[in-house]
Amino acid sequence: MKKNLGIYVHIPFCVSKCSYCDFLSFDNCSYAVQLQYIDALIQEIKLYKAFADRYVVKTIFFGGGTPSLLDEVFIGNILKAIRSVFNVDRFPEITIEANPGTVKYTNLLAYQSHGINRLSIGLQSTDDDCLMMLGRIHNMDQFVATYNSARRAGFKNINVDIMSGIPGQTEHTYVETLMKVIEFGPEHISAYSLQVEDGTPLAENEPVLSMLPDEEADRRMYAMTKKVLGANGYQRYEFSNYAKPGYECKHNITYWTGGEYVGLGLGAASFFKGERFSNIRDINRYLEIMQEAQSDIASSTDKISVYDEVTHQLRENIETMYIDSRIEEFMFLGLRMTKGVSRSEFLNRFNKDIYEVYGPVINKYVTEGFMVEEGDSIRLNDRGIDVSNIILSDFILD
Ligand code: SF4
């Protein structure tokens, strides 16, 4: 029987860098580099011919960077390559991230014709001052235009990303963002708190940092997210993700439930054939490796040897997932989801009862009122989610 697989495609290009961004992305990349990158991605897809027939691809996710910055023909070419190598499910979930101001109606129509059926729009805030603080390239009007064009083009599954804890943001402007986004009626909303990452321009901008909402305000905004979205038909299904019933992101659920996925492109992470690894982060080296491998990938009959040789150069941080790591990860990721972890699934995967491994820690947090046992499920409640960092660290095995 074929196994399910998710595919993530990393597009590391942006119009300009947002002040808080520590994602692997570059601004001002030439068209020539973009072309080379697409060629490299297509070579990387072909590498998987050695194993592809064992899988059925259920989800594909174009993330970045700003995938919508690429010519839609390139996106079509990548999908064509994926379909020529892998068995793609008849009804896959195919998502592309788009930033307002980078897509027009015609681009969105083209995405639809390529089979892309989910659009994830990076809005962050409906307040133009907040957007400026973050160094976003767009304003609210551009979001409205993008959103309306997406609906007109036929997108029936749209996610909107929003952010709390932005410098200068008040609880009032945050709730306004929530309410305005709700009015548009996207099927899914991702709501994250801004993290100030070392090495970003934001981390060095003292005047702007002094405008960050304090910890208490940040916590209240986080609590308001669930309250306001919950009252408007969005269910929290993961710490930071909310959906109307039936619109949970299948691709991300693959990550959180320990499913297999392949990450294609620069720096992309994978969990494939029992190993976790990521691709190298040096774009020149990535392009070079894939270009050198091109003729072997095309002509060699020994696909497995070519795969081994090329991936040996392409990958780093390779971790074989032995039983303890797999158990820990099952708990860390599973407890991020509001439905929690399944006791029977634990037994099924690891041939052990969950209480044999985690009995004392589960009992402690249930007794203290941070976790709930309900039938087959063990989950964090709202109190538990608030202090999840502390709780999850107790699930590390000695
Ligand atoms: S659009 Fe996203 S990836 Fe690009 S610079 Fe901004 S935060 Fe980073």
Side-chain angles (χ1 to χ4, degrees), residues 2-4 10 15 114 126 155 159 190 199 213 233 235 240 369 384 397:
K2 292 189 194 300
K3 296 204 273 179
N4 292 344
H10 190 65
V15 176
H114 296 317
T126 57
F155 277 94
N159 167 61
S190 294
Q235 275 183 358
S240 307
L397 296 170

Side-chain angles (χ1 to χ4, degrees), residues 21-39:
C21 178
D22 79 332
F23 299 124
L24 184 54
S25 71
F26 311 98
D27 51 0
N28 293 321
C29 264
S30 67
Y31 193 68
V33 170
Q34 292 187 12
L35 272 178
Q36 283 178 53
Y37 187 77
I38 304 307
D39 281 348

Side-chain angles (χ1 to χ4, degrees), residues 38-192:
I38 304 307
D39 281 348
L41 269 177
I42 290 175
Q43 294 311 317
E44 196 185 347
I45 292 164
K46 289 181 183 166
L47 262 187
Y48 283 89
K49 266 192 186 147
F51 304 101
D53 61 355
R54 302 179 193 171
Y55 293 90
V56 55
V57 174
K58 293 284 189 181
T59 64
I60 301 172
F61 195 106
F62 287 88
T66 307
S68 54
L69 202 57
L70 279 189
D71 192 309
E72 64 272 17
V73 174
F74 295 156
I75 300 287
N77 291 347
I78 296 167
L79 281 169
K80 208 153 113 193
I82 290 174
R83 289 192 177 102
S84 73
V85 169
F86 291 93
N87 305 295
V88 176
D89 191 67
R90 274 184 69 206
F91 302 105
E93 176 192 90
I94 308 183
T95 305
I96 188 164
E97 289 181 342
N99 279 328
T102 60
V103 271
K104 295 197 288 282
Y105 174 64
T106 46
N107 308 125
L108 294 157
L109 273 183
Y111 293 162
Q112 287 266 322
S113 72
H114 296 317
I116 296 174
N117 49 24
R118 186 170 183 272
L119 190 73
S120 178
I121 307 178
L123 167 63
Q124 315 312 344
S125 174
T126 57
D127 182 283
D128 284 347
D129 291 338
C130 283
L131 292 174
M132 218 177 334
M133 276 294 172
L134 295 173
R136 300 288 298 178
I137 54 161
H138 58 87
N139 57 29
M140 178 58 183
D141 287 348
Q142 286 169 303
F143 165 77
V144 175
T146 299
Y147 188 92
N148 290 339
S149 298
R151 286 298 194 211
R152 224 159 28 99
F155 277 94
K156 295 189 170 56
N157 189 356
I158 298 181
N159 167 61
V160 176
D161 286 340
I162 58 171
M163 201 180 257
S164 59
I166 300 171
Q169 189 178 45
T170 61
E171 288 163 59
H172 176 75
T173 53
Y174 180 62
V175 172
E176 213 170 66
T177 289
L178 286 171
M179 294 311 296
K180 281 188 185 166
V181 169
I182 288 166
E183 265 173 47
F184 282 93
E187 285 67 28
H188 190 285
I189 297 175
S190 294
Y192 287 90

Side-chain angles (χ1 to χ4, degrees), residues 260-272:
E260 276 190 280
Y261 58 93
V262 159
L264 302 166
L266 201 65
S270 303
F271 175 46
F272 187 60

